[in-house]
Amino acid sequence: MTQIMKNRSALIRLFCVHLWLTLTVAAQAPEILRVDPPSWWSRSTVNPVRLLIHGRNLQNARVDVQGLRIVNTPKINERGTYLFVDVFIAPGARPGERSISVTTPRGSARAAFEVLVPLDRVGRFQGFSPADVMYLIMIDRFADGDPSNNDPLQSRGLYDRANKFYYHGGDLQGVIDRLPYLKELGVTAIWLTPWYDNYDRLNQIELKEEKPSTGFHGYNPQDFYAVEEHFGTLGKLRELAEAAHRSGIKVIQDQVMNHTGPYHPWVDDPPTLTWLNGTKSQHLKNPFQTWVLHDPRANETLKRETMDGWFLDFLPDLNQHDPEVSRYLIQNTLWWIGITGLDGIRMDTWQYVPNSFWRDWTAAVRREFPKFKVVGEVKDGDVVHTSFFQGGRVRFDGVDSGLDSLLDFPLFYPVRHAFAEGKPVDEIPKTLAKDYLYTNSEILVTLLGGHDDGRFMSEKGATINGLKLANAFVLTTRGVPQLYYGDEIAMEGEDEPTTRRDFPGGFPGDKRNAFTAAGRTKEQQDLFEYIRRLTTLRRELEPLRSGALVNLYTSEQQYAYARATMSGAVVVAINNDDKAAEIEFDVTRASLKSGASLTERLGGGRKVMVRDGKLKVSLPKRSAAIFVGL
Ligand SMILES: [Ca+2]
Ligand SMILES: [Ca+2]
Ligand SMILES: [Ca+2]
């Protein structure tokens, strides 16, 4: 054969293969694998709702939803795997299941979509306030109320109570079962770690102590619209929200909008070309140079790496500048709130997501649920840094993020230093002195422990007495106090994840049950009662919830302050020293007049009198006192 003939026959062969491939693909009918969101309610502020249909062979598809109006031409990605379409739900639309059909010249496919009645607003979507006492629960590690879901994927080997990086069996039913315990402690709001479905496999990318781990903590979402099967079902979640609300306990969801889990299907097949910042093989790594985020003269490269880089180099970073991503995430947030009735959100990794997105997101949340509140995680000890992210003010970037609250990490560290390590207590008022940098310091969420830090009791120098003082401070200062599960029984754990140990009594076979007084040691019971006393005082005494914080006395190891309202004041005095102290301070700024008699309500019941505008109090070593004259 001549070279020309050889080339020609090769060309013909190539053409035949191409024709065969084209015909095969063309012959394939469309398929629908999922619809996000799977439901929406009538009379929503988001109408039409945008559906993201995931499937196969969706090229050139037409979409119909039984009884609902499609308002635009579907937008479909090149591979025919994702389709965006807007669906209008008439205000009087009949609730119930509707059939979605996708039709192409090769056939059609169907999936279900549900029109819901909006939940009654009474007792739902309540937000949180300084009147609340929040309690952080790591779902997997609190209580196992349903052993049947402990190992739902048996062949995957994700459940092992002896392995600190595996699932331990805690679940939503366990939280429901322990609501009376939380009520007894004085908790009025529970913040649950993320309940999104995480990957159903061992994580081979993030090795822990050189071994694979699981997503037991919930922060690696695989499906933004599903509940983790180790924790329960969507039905169980709604049951939990209802039961909590009946007990007077609000529910706060932990959400993640910065990234997905490492095995999310979007990594290999993104709905749009710009869905993620980078790809699995080519992306920036987050250098955590967070200071540049509030720097008007920031080095743009460093800023971009910090905003768009993959968290820990393995968590795919969502690109909220892509309007489809933004719309998807906003609807996702509204969906969780709308179908469960929850009251607040704790937003993970807030600072790595653009403020312009947050502005739109918070506005959308507020439009639909006006009383709702959001607390952002900005893990930093510097008030200059954290305060930058609070909403209520347009910043140098021209944006008001709309964020209500922040976890008060700048106050967390001084609390640990003073009350665990015994360092000077005046670091606390020195930090509070910077409150003016916040748009609203009263709504900050104060804490002495959380799931990302070692436990208070594992700090060098920590004692039960110190832990009591930390609780006395957090539960009487300004802000919304947040407790961490198990700190009320002095649980220990020096790092992450030993800080996430199982609550004793929450799991089958536990030797003792610390959810009951009989199952607690004498020391634990004493601490539990002390905290309960504090939450009771906070509930009974209005100044502790809404009073202005007035500093009255500050020395290296003593700190006294008042919470004052028009109707009265409560005085708190703390001696962090290892020896007794007597302190005298002026109380006229707290509107306490000479001759007024105050009663100590935290422990002793002793009385003190205001003389010459001053209060003189003696404090045993490492003790706190709360004086009430109401
Ligand atoms: Ca379980
Ligand atoms: Ca899962
Ligand atoms: Ca980011």
Side-chain angles (χ1 to χ4, degrees):
M1 270 196 295
T2 64
Q3 190 58 38
I4 290 171
M5 280 175 76
K6 264 189 200 164
N7 282 352
R8 187 181 290 171
S9 84
L11 268 174
I12 289 168
R13 263 204 312 276
L14 196 69
F15 176 75
C16 289
V17 168
H18 182 76
L19 188 69
W20 176 80
L21 271 174
T22 310
L23 289 173
T24 313
V25 170
Q28 284 175 349
E31 271 181 77
I32 301 179
L33 301 171
R34 60 179 292 143
V35 179
D36 291 346
S39 56
W40 203 254
W41 52 96
S42 53
R43 300 195 293 282
S44 168
T45 55
V46 174
N47 195 18
V49 61
R50 183 162 301 171
L51 304 187
L52 175 56
I53 298 177
H54 175 39
R56 293 192 192 102
N57 311 311
L58 300 175
Q59 291 94 340
N60 305 312
R62 198 188 73 229
V63 181
D64 292 290
V65 184
Q66 187 194 4
L68 302 179
R69 190 159 57 85
I70 303 292
V71 299
N72 62 351
T73 308
K75 199 170 114 186
I76 304 163
N77 71 347
E78 215 168 278
R79 294 179 307 285
T81 51
Y82 283 96
L83 178 157
F84 298 89
V85 67
D86 290 358
V87 178
F88 183 81
I89 302 175
R94 172 181 54 81
E97 229 168 68
R98 306 300 164 92
S99 175
I100 298 179
S101 64
V102 165
T103 310
T104 72
R106 282 95 57 198
S108 68
R110 284 176 187 280
F113 177 75
E114 195 179 356
V115 174
L116 306 168
V117 181
L119 289 179
D120 194 307
R121 286 178 181 256
V122 178
R124 298 192 179 95
F125 320 120
Q126 303 169 92
F128 55 80
S129 78
D132 285 308
V133 174
M134 225 182 256
Y135 186 92
L136 164 57
I137 291 173
M138 179 146 259
I139 301 173
D140 185 57
R141 304 298 167 87
F142 187 59
D144 179 4
D146 179 6
S148 78
N149 63 19
N150 285 2
D151 202 2
L153 309 160
Q154 287 171 10
S155 58
R156 317 280 173 95
L158 306 182
Y159 170 73
D160 180 2
R161 278 196 70 198
N163 187 321
K164 58 191 176 184
F165 301 107
Y166 283 35
Y167 284 96
H168 286 189
D171 50 34
L172 300 171
Q173 183 62 52
V175 179
I176 295 175
D177 295 343
R178 302 307 173 185
L179 288 171
Y181 168 80
L182 299 171
K183 189 88 186 150
E184 187 192 1
L185 184 60
V187 170
T188 69
I190 44 175
W191 151 22
L192 302 175
T193 47
W195 56 61
Y196 305 114
D197 186 18
N198 273 232
Y199 39 80
D200 302 341
R201 53 166 292 165
L202 283 174
N203 181 349
Q204 307 281 357
I205 301 172
E206 186 196 24
L207 298 184
K208 294 279 195 179
E209 295 172 5
E210 291 164 32
K211 294 195 188 75
S213 57
T214 72
F216 76 89
H217 45 69
Y219 290 96
N220 294 174
Q222 179 81 2
D223 183 341
F224 284 95
Y225 278 99
V227 172
E228 169 56 43
E229 65 281 341
H230 288 86
F231 301 160
T233 59
L234 183 57
K236 188 55 72 180
L237 176 66
R238 296 171 87 156
E239 190 186 321
L240 187 157
E242 292 295 307
H245 285 153
R246 268 199 309 279
S247 310
I249 293 176
K250 298 170 178 176
V251 179
I252 293 162
Q253 181 187 10
D254 203 326
Q255 289 200 351
V256 183
M257 306 259 112
N258 179 60
H259 53 258
T260 74
Y263 298 105
H264 199 291
W266 291 336
V267 176
D268 294 320
D269 183 17
T272 66
L273 293 173
T274 50
W275 197 262
L276 299 173
N277 289 314
T279 63
K280 191 158 55 179
S281 56
Q282 197 168 28
H283 58 257
L284 300 169
K285 177 183 176 179
N286 189 338
F288 297 116
Q289 293 297 307
T290 53
W291 62 279
V292 300
L293 303 181
H294 69 81
D295 178 5
R297 306 183 196 88
N299 169 330
E300 281 303 319
T301 306
L302 209 48
K303 188 167 178 177
R304 193 163 153 251
E305 285 172 350
T306 307
M307 292 301 292
D308 302 351
W310 288 27
F311 205 85
L312 305 173
D313 206 21
F314 79 94
L315 293 174
D317 201 66
L318 286 161
N319 174 18
Q320 296 83 6
H321 291 301
D322 178 330
E324 292 298 353
V325 174
S326 168
R327 179 74 180 251
Y328 182 92
L329 295 174
I330 287 171
Q331 288 189 176
N332 180 250
T333 292
L334 295 180
W335 185 80
W336 283 114
I337 306 170
I339 64 156
T340 60
L342 59 94
D343 305 287
I345 286 172
R346 177 270 188 190
M347 182 57 72
D348 192 56
T349 46
W350 178 275
Q351 56 187 328
Y352 307 106
V353 175
N355 271 332
S356 54
F357 166 75
W358 289 134
R359 174 194 55 208
D360 299 346
W361 180 88
T362 52
V365 170
R366 202 152 290 134
R367 232 178 349 257
E368 183 86 15
F369 308 107
K371 290 199 236 160
F372 202 82
K373 287 270 184 295
V374 178
V375 50
E377 180 217 20
V378 174
K379 188 126 195 257
D380 200 286
D382 182 358
V383 179
V384 172
H385 184 75
T386 52
S387 63
F388 172 74
F389 295 92
Q390 193 173 32
R393 183 185 298 165
V394 175
R395 306 282 170 173
F396 68 81
D397 55 1
V399 178
D400 172 354
S401 73
L403 177 61
D404 301 295
S405 175
L406 292 148
L407 286 167
D408 197 345
F409 283 108
L411 201 52
F412 164 83
Y413 298 107
V415 164
R416 283 289 182 95
H417 295 159
F419 300 124
E421 298 172 39
K423 288 187 178 155
V425 77
D426 63 1
E427 203 189 325
I428 289 172
K430 282 178 187 170
T431 304
L432 288 166
K434 299 170 188 165
D435 267 4
Y436 67 88
L437 292 171
Y438 293 108
T439 49
N440 178 6
S441 59
E442 307 298 316
I443 195 72
L444 298 176
V445 174
T446 52
L447 66 158
L448 62 91
H451 59 323
D452 289 330
D453 293 280
R455 293 243 182 213
F456 183 98
M457 283 308 288
S458 293
E459 292 271 15
K460 212 188 310 167
T463 62
I464 298 253
N465 271 343
L467 181 52
K468 281 183 172 177
L469 296 187
N471 274 287
F473 170 70
V474 166
L475 284 158
T476 57
T477 191
R478 60 96 177 111
V480 184
Q482 176 240 299
L483 312 176
Y484 179 45
Y485 86 93
D487 277 350
E488 72 275 22
I489 53 162
M491 279 174 71
E492 294 175 6
E494 57 287 350
D495 56 11
E496 183 259 288
T498 56
T499 192
R500 304 166 174 184
R501 285 201 178 109
D502 302 347
F503 193 103
F507 297 78
D510 281 358
K511 285 194 191 68
R512 58 190 186 88
N513 179 5
F515 285 113
T516 66
R520 295 191 275 267
T521 64
K522 193 169 163 296
E523 265 194 329
Q524 285 176 332
Q525 178 61 11
D526 179 49
L527 173 65
F528 180 90
E529 282 301 329
Y530 187 87
I531 296 172
R532 200 162 82 95
R533 182 89 192 123
L534 285 163
T535 60
T536 306
L537 289 174
R538 194 171 174 101
R539 189 166 59 244
E540 288 176 357
L541 303 170
E542 212 239 320
L544 288 183
R545 303 191 302 272
S546 64
L549 175 63
V550 182
N551 286 336
L552 300 174
Y553 184 90
T554 305
S555 66
E556 204 173 273
Q557 287 299 4
Q558 289 81 33
Y559 176 38
Y561 51 95
R563 300 293 309 276
T565 61
M566 296 296 277
S567 58
V570 171
V571 175
V572 181
I574 298 173
N575 177 19
N576 194 43
D577 208 346
D578 277 328
K579 50 185 185 294
E582 188 176 60
I583 57 174
E584 188 174 27
F585 47 88
D586 190 290
V587 291
T588 48
R589 276 182 61 237
S591 306
L592 289 167
K593 301 214 161 47
S594 295
S597 171
L598 308 180
T599 308
E600 203 287 309
R601 295 277 302 275
L602 183 54
R606 64 197 148 113
K607 290 200 182 329
V608 288
M609 181 93 78
V610 179
R611 293 179 205 279
D612 301 328
K614 288 179 178 165
L615 206 57
K616 187 192 260 186
V617 297
S618 51
L619 297 162
K621 65 176 181 180
R622 302 220 83 188
S623 71
I626 299 177
F627 298 99
V628 183
L630 304 173

